[in-house]
Each structure stands twice: as C-alpha cells, then as structure tokens.
C-alpha cells in the first residue's frame, strides 16, 4: 500500500515546491508557476492513489474483494450498488505511521500521519482544487508584479493545509493550522502597497488569532484528557477520541476542551461573531479567494470539528437533541451570512457571505449529529464554491474591466461570456440545493438528520437558509449576466487592474469576451463535480458510497442515519424554488421597481442594519479596540518615557560617572601615576649614578680599594 504508507509525500512535495520557487523561480521559463503545477500534479496523483488504495483496503477488511487488485477493487466499488441505510460498517483501523519528534523527560512527542477515509477525502479535495487554482492563476495573474512569490505562497498554503489533514496528533495539527493562517495573511495582503489590502490581511490574521487562543488552550487540554483515561499523556488523535468516549474522563474537562476548540472553529471557519474577517479577505487575488473558501483555511475549522468529533459529541451532549453550543453557532451563522449577502454589490462579497452561511450549515450539521452530511456538504461545497469564485474572476478578467461591482460594471454578459455564464449558473444551482445537483444531496441530508435527531428548530433554520440562498444567488446571476451591459464607465479600471504592469498589453476598454482556456477549463471541471459529486451519497437511489468510504470505522459515536425522504426533499427544493422565483419576480419582471426599503421605515432600518454588517466592525474596531488602544498607547508611552527611557538615561549617567572615575582615579592617578613615578625614580637614580661616574681613573681605583677593604672587614666580622 505504497500510497497510503507514503501519504506524507502529499504535503511534502508542495512544501519543497515552495522552497524551489522562492529561491529559483525567476530563473524558470514560466517564472516558477510550472514548478507549482508539477508539484500539485504529483500530490494529486498521490492523493488519488491513496483514495483508491483506501477503498481497496476497506474491501479487503470486509472480505468483499480479497483477490482483486487495487484497480479492479476500485472499479468494483464504483458500481452503483446499494449500501442499505443503517448497515453496520466493519471496523477498519486507519493507517498510522509516526516517529519521535522530540522528548521532554520521560514523555515522547511523536510526528506522523493518520490516514483514514476523512483524510483521503480531504487530500483529494485540497489537491484537486489547488491544482485547478494553480492552472487558472497562470492566466489570471499574468504580468503581476510578484508573480513568482504568488506561486510560492500558493504552494506553501496547500502544503500547510495538507499537513493539517494528515496529522496524527493535535500538536502537529496546531502547526499546520498556524501555517495556514500565516499563508492566508501573505496571500490576502499580496498587494500590500494599498492600505485596504494590508488592513484586510491584518484583520484576518488577528481575528483568527483570537479564535486560535481557544485552539492552543484546547490542544493543551487534549494532552491531559488522554492522561486521565490511559495514564500516559499524549496528543495522539486516536487516543484522544478513545479517551473522550471512554467514560473515564471528567465531563467538565471534556466540555471545557470542546468549548475551547469551538472558539478555534468560530475564528477559522468564519462563524458568528468572528466572521467579519472573511468578506474583507476578498482584497486578495481571486484565485486565493477560491482556495480559501473552497479547500483551505475556512474548512480547516470544520475539519477540526470532524476529526475530533468524539470530543464535541461528548462535550456538548450532541446525542441528546435540543440545543447545544455548536449547533447554535452554526444555525446563527447560516442566517446572518445569508442575510448579509442580499445587500452586497461586489460579486466576491456575495460569495464570501454565502461561504459564511454554508460553513454555518456544516458546523450546524456537526452540532446536530449529522457528521456524514456535514462532511459531505464540505466535499460538494468545495467544488461549486470554487466554480463560483473562479467564475467571478473570469467575469472580472474578461468582462468587467477588472471590477467586481455587479451594479456598475456587469450585466448582459451571458451572450458575451457563454462558458462563464453556463458554469456560474451550474455552481449557483448547486449552491441553492436544487435537485439533482451536488448541493441538493448534501444540504438535504443535514436537514433530514436534524429533524430525526431531535433538532427540529435547526431543520427550520436550514430551510430558511435554503430560501435565502436561492434568492440572493438568483439576484447575483441577474445582476451579472442579464439586463443591459453596464461596463466601461468613466470611473475606469478598479480593483486588480491597477496591479498589472503597462507591458502586460491588456486593453482595459475592450469589449467583454470569453476568458481563455486556462480559465474556462478549470470552470468546466469544477462544474462537472458540482453536477455529479452528490451522487456519491444519493440515498434516493440507494447509493451511500460517501458514507461507506469515508465514515470513520473506529473510535466514533453512534450516529443517526435517517432514510431519505422524498417528501422532505420536495419541501427543501420547493422552498429554494420559491426563493429563486421571488428574486426572479423582483428583477426579471420588475415587480419591485420601487424598493420595499424605500417605502417602509422598518425595512429601511433593517437594510441599514445589514449594510452596516450588524455594526460588528464598528463594535470591534471603534468600541472595543478604540476604547482600549488609547489607554494602551498612553500606558505604553508612559512606560517608554518613565521606565525604558529612565533605565537608558540612568545607564547613560552611570556610564558617564564610571568613565570619569576611570579617567580621574584609575587612569590619571593610578596607571599614569605609577608610570610617571617609575620615570621620576629612574631619573633620580640616574642623577645619583651620574655623580659617581666622574671619568677619573684615580677615583675608580679608590672606590675599588674602598670596596675591597669594606668587604674584607665584613668577612672578618662574619667569621
């Protein structure tokens, strides 16, 4: 099982690519982009190989195809055979390889990989989306002032997310988690010369760091949860999940750990109330936006919840129904994200708030016990959301003079950009949850599970979210592709156009046209997945391959797997269609020529509340930060003047005194005094000797005689 045993190569290859591009990228013919594409291509092949071998591994464990080779086993598994609802899946241990990272006393800390269904699914998603984004970026970022640096950072971003995915312990996950945050800071602020871009990067970094305080605290607690259950402290994920379900650990400790880790999910996955960084992150290049929203960064939080699900399941008592912290946060985020998408004119911000809402679905799904449905929605959402973001970039690149303003610079583009239009509609329909596209199967499963698990309120929340999603995406499609073309205004190129060098040769006043293949081919590939990916778990047709392949087979709580209901599905699709028709009636048929918010004071106040994003930015920036940054600045200034400067001035004055003492006493009176004294003594001795040295022979003879006489007397006396 080469691919499973060597899955550590999947994150290592793009990490090496980062170093190669950074050091030598500008010397390559394509300025390093080819290195990133080849590296991601290799990682994608390894990921697909790991996926195939994992399915083969499952078949062997269940005795389904012991004599079949890997390829035949995979082909056999792809058959649309039924996996009956509620069927017990045979236990299958994950593939684990680890080695000692470092040792503190008697405690060893390991680093390694844990490969199971969840890991191979995530590796496939991350490498697929990232590879397509790399290819797309060769055209979209052509001529960028930091083209080579962009591809280096993109490779490191992917490697960091893959490290998080394959990690076998929470300490290693923490490293990948923080590297993902660092790379998002680098890429969101790619065009750091403009203050809004650098501000957005800092906002994303600091806001997610707020949640990461919870992650650090939670990771520390996981160490002691394992110790309470086994007697041996460890960060190992399998040991942690076993400990959480063992009943040997204080429920209070598990609750505290789950709560701390939940704050990490809130920060990284853009959950209310720390979602405010995600729309501002649109300041980065559009390929980065697609990667962040589809396969990295924001899904890291959902992955954390899925990987350590026993901790959350036990800590929040998810199996008991009602309301819990995770479900409440997710449900709230579904609605607040969808509501904010209604009042955006920037197409990327519409999609950003849509991502917030869809992440809310995933977190809510985990909170209501719909683990498979939540992860299935993560899987399907990755493809249609990447499709939508890259479609928005295609419109900006070739249709709206590098602007993202739907009202000012778009409209009427469906005939001028037919491929972009078709793929964007496919992504929108999938996002709205319309049968039979991918979003329908995953979203419907979350709602059905919520209803069957004692979380009826959250099922209603999900249905309201489905209505709102269809409504704002219909508005988005209309403003972008229908009506009259509104581009080419006097306000000139905006947004990303200013980052293109003059030698790029693009005419910003050109007529809208279809984007080149480097952009449209990834769109069609993603659209294919947006159409077909849902059939991996199409329970209506008795297909549950996603569950069969990717649900954990060990160390997992008992979950509810309700049977598919055509009635519930019809209600969900019907509500989405009503939402789409509401927007259609407003825009296509002109039944809302006079805005309701202009005719109703309450609606006007509500719209203002939404336009100001619930005043959360005002609360965070002006009230919280503004109220403390002044006192902190004053305190820092006082410390600087009265402590730091006082110490420095005291040291300076002390040094001056020491210097004076050294000069006056030690140097002048000591060292110089000794030297001068020796000189004077030598001079005096020389003067005395000079009196004796007369140069007269008689005098010398007298002195010798006197000396001999005195010596003789001395000898006589001594004898």
């Amino acid at each position: 099982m080469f691919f499973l045993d060597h899955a550590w190569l999947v994150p290592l290859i793009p990490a090496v690519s980062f170093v190669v591009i950074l050091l030598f990228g500008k010397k390559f013919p394509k300025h390093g982009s080819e290195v990133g594409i080849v590296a991601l291509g290799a990682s994608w092949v390894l990921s697909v190989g790991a996926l195939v071998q994992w399915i083969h591994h499952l078949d062997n464990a269940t005795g389904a195809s012991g004599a079949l080779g890997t390829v035949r086993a995979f082909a056999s598994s792809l058959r649309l055979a039924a996996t009956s609802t509620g069927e017990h899946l045979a236990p299958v241990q994950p593939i684990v390889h680890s080695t000692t990272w470092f040792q503190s006393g008697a405690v060893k800390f390991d680093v390694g990989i844990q490969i199971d269904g969840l890991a191979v699914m995530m590796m496939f998603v991350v490498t697929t989306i990232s590879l397509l984004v790399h290819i797309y970026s060769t055209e979209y970022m052509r001529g960028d002032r930091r083209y080579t640096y962009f591809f280096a950072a993109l490779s490191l971003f992917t490697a960091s997310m893959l490290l998080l995915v394959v990690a076998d312990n929470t300490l290693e996950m923490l490293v990948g988690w923080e590297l993902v945050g660092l790379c998002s800071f680098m890429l969101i602020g790619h065009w750091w010369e403009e203050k809004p871009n650098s501000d957005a990067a800092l906002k994303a970094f600091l806001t997610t760091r707020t949640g990461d305080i919870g992650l650090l605290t939670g990771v520390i607690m996981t160490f002691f949860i394992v110790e309470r259950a086994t007697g041996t402290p460890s960060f190992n994920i399998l040991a942690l999940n076993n400990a959480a379900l063992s009943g040997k650990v204080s429920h209070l400790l598990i609750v505290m750990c789950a709560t701390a880790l939940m704050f990490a999910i809130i920060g990284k996955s853009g959950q209310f109330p720390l979602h405010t960084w995600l729309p501002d992150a649109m300041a980065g290049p559009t390929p980065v936006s697609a990667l962040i929203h589809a396969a990295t960064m924001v899904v890291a939080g959902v992955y954390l919840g899925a990987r350590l699900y026993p901790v959350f399941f036990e800590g929040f008592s998810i199996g008991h129904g009602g309301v819990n912290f995770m479900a409440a946060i997710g449900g709230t985020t579904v609605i607040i994200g969808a509501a904010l998408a209604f009042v955006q004119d920037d197409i990327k911000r519409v999609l950003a708030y849509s991502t917030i809402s869809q992440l809310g679905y995933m977190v809510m799904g985990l909170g209501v016990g719909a683990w498979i449905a939540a992860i299935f929605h993560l899987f399907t959402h990755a493809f249609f959301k990447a499709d939508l973001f890259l479609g928005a970039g295609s419109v900006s690149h070739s249709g709206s003079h590098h602007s993202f303003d739907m009202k000012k610079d778009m409209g009427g583009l469906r005939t001028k950009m037919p491929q972009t239009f078709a793929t964007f509609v496919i992504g929108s329909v999938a996002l709205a949850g319309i049968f039979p596209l991918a979003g329908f199967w995953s979203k419907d499963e979350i709602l059905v599970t919520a209803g069957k698990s004692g979380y009826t309120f959250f099922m209603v929340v999900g249905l309201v979210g489905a209505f709102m999603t269809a409504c704002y995406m219909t508005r988005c499609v209309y403003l972008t592709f229908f009506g009259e073309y509104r581009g080419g205004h006097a306000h000139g190129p905006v947004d990303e156009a200013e980052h293109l060098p003059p030698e790029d040769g693009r005419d910003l006043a050109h007529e809208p046209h279809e984007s080149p293949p480097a952009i449209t081919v990834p769109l069609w590939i993603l659209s294919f997945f947006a159409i077909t990916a849902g059939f991996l778990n199409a329970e209506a047709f008795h297909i549950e391959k996603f569950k069969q392949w990717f649900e954990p087979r060990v160390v997992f709580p008992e979950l509810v797997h309700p049977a598919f209901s055509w009635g519930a599905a019809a209600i969900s699709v019907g509500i989405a269609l009503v939402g789409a028709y509401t927007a259609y009636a407003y825009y296509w048929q002109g039944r809302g020529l006079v805005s309701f918010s202009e005719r109703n004071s309450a609606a006007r106040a509500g719209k203002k509340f939404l336009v100001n994003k619930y005043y959360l930015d005002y609360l965070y920036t002006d009230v919280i930060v503004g109220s403390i940054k002044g006192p902190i600045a004053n305190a820092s200034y006082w410390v600087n003047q009265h402590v730091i400067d006082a110490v420095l001035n005291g040291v300076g004055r002390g040094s001056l005194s020491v210097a004076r003492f050294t000069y006056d006493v030690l140097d002048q009176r000591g060292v110089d005094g000794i030297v001068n004294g020796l000189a004077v003594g030598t001079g005096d001795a020389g003067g005395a000797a000079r009196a004796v040295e007369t140069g007269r022979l008689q005098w010398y003879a007298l002195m010798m005689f006197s000396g001999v006489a005195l010596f003789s007397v001395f000898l006589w006396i001594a004898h």
Side-chain angles (χ1 to χ4, degrees), residues 343-670:
V343 295
Q344 306 302 315
D345 295 336
D346 185 304
I347 187 172
K348 284 174 67 175
R349 285 184 174 267
V350 172
L351 298 177
Y353 283 115
S354 169
T355 299
I356 291 172
S357 182
Q358 297 306 307
L359 290 167
Y361 269 106
M362 299 173 204
V363 174
M364 185 180 75
L366 293 174
V368 301
W371 189 93
I372 277 291
I375 300 308
F376 188 39
H377 195 52
L378 183 156
F379 176 76
T380 59
H381 176 265
F383 298 114
F384 56 72
K385 185 52 62 72
D387 187 17
L388 290 170
F389 264 107
L390 296 184
S394 177
V395 171
S396 168
H397 180 273
S398 304
S400 62
H401 312 315
H402 302 276
S403 168
F404 294 99
D405 194 312
M406 298 183 296
K407 287 189 174 181
K408 291 181 179 179
D409 297 303
M410 298 183 188
L413 294 175
R414 70 186 185 282
T415 57
K416 302 177 185 298
M417 306 182 71
Q419 295 188 63
T420 301
F421 168 67
T423 55
F424 196 90
V425 169
I426 290 171
S428 299
V429 173
L431 174 61
I434 304 299
F435 178 86
L437 273 68
F440 163 77
W441 301 104
S442 55
K443 191 179 295 185
D444 182 74
E445 191 168 346
I446 293 176
L447 301 180
V448 172
T449 306
K452 298 294 185 180
S453 301
Y455 291 95
T456 306
F457 172 77
F458 293 102
M459 180 186 67
V460 175
V461 168
L463 291 173
V464 173
F467 171 85
M468 299 172 73
T469 301
C471 198
Y472 68 68
M473 284 310 300
T474 303
R475 169 183 178 266
C476 181
V477 170
Y478 174 80
L479 291 176
T480 304
F481 295 102
F482 289 86
E484 296 295 327
Y485 177 61
R486 299 176 292 277
H489 291 291
H491 60 265
V494 294
D495 297 333
E496 299 176 3
E498 62 193 64
H499 302 284
L500 301 174
E503 62 269 19
D504 185 51
R506 300 185 203 178
D507 178 14
L508 296 179
H510 68 278
E511 284 296 314
H513 61 277
E514 188 56 83
S515 295
I519 289 179
T520 56
V521 170
L523 293 180
W524 281 114
I525 294 173
L526 291 167
S527 295
F528 169 78
F529 282 111
I531 294 171
T532 61
F535 289 101
L536 284 178
N537 226 46
E539 294 185 21
F541 306 123
H542 305 290
I543 305 170
E544 292 184 85
K545 290 299 181 182
F546 192 89
K547 173 188 172 183
Q548 178 185 343
W549 292 343
F550 305 132
E551 184 176 35
R553 300 292 188 94
V554 293
V555 195
F556 214 62
E558 291 292 333
L559 300 177
V560 174
H561 292 293
F564 179 83
S565 169
W566 279 110
I571 293 173
S572 175
V573 173
I575 289 175
L577 291 175
V578 170
Y581 179 77
T582 302
Y584 169 80
Y586 186 94
Y587 291 102
W588 267 271
Q589 298 186 352
R591 297 182 184 179
L593 294 178
V594 180
S595 175
F596 181 62
S597 63
E598 296 177 4
R599 294 182 277 116
N600 184 282
S601 59
R604 186 162 54 251
K607 181 178 180 180
K608 183 179 179 181
F609 187 59
L610 291 176
V611 169
N612 286 282
K613 298 173 286 188
Y614 309 117
Y615 294 97
L616 287 175
D617 281 332
Y618 172 78
L619 172 65
Y620 298 154
T621 304
D622 297 340
V623 177
I624 297 177
V625 176
S627 63
I628 63 176
K629 70 179 181 181
I632 290 176
N634 291 333
S636 299
Y637 182 76
W638 186 91
V639 170
N640 182 56
Q641 293 294 309
H642 296 86
V643 178
I644 299 176
D645 284 358
V647 170
L648 293 175
N649 292 335
V651 170
R653 287 191 291 269
S655 300
L656 182 60
S657 299
V658 171
R660 286 175 177 171
F661 174 80
T662 302
Y663 178 77
D664 292 338
V665 177
L666 298 181
D667 185 55
Q668 295 293 309
R669 300 180 184 179

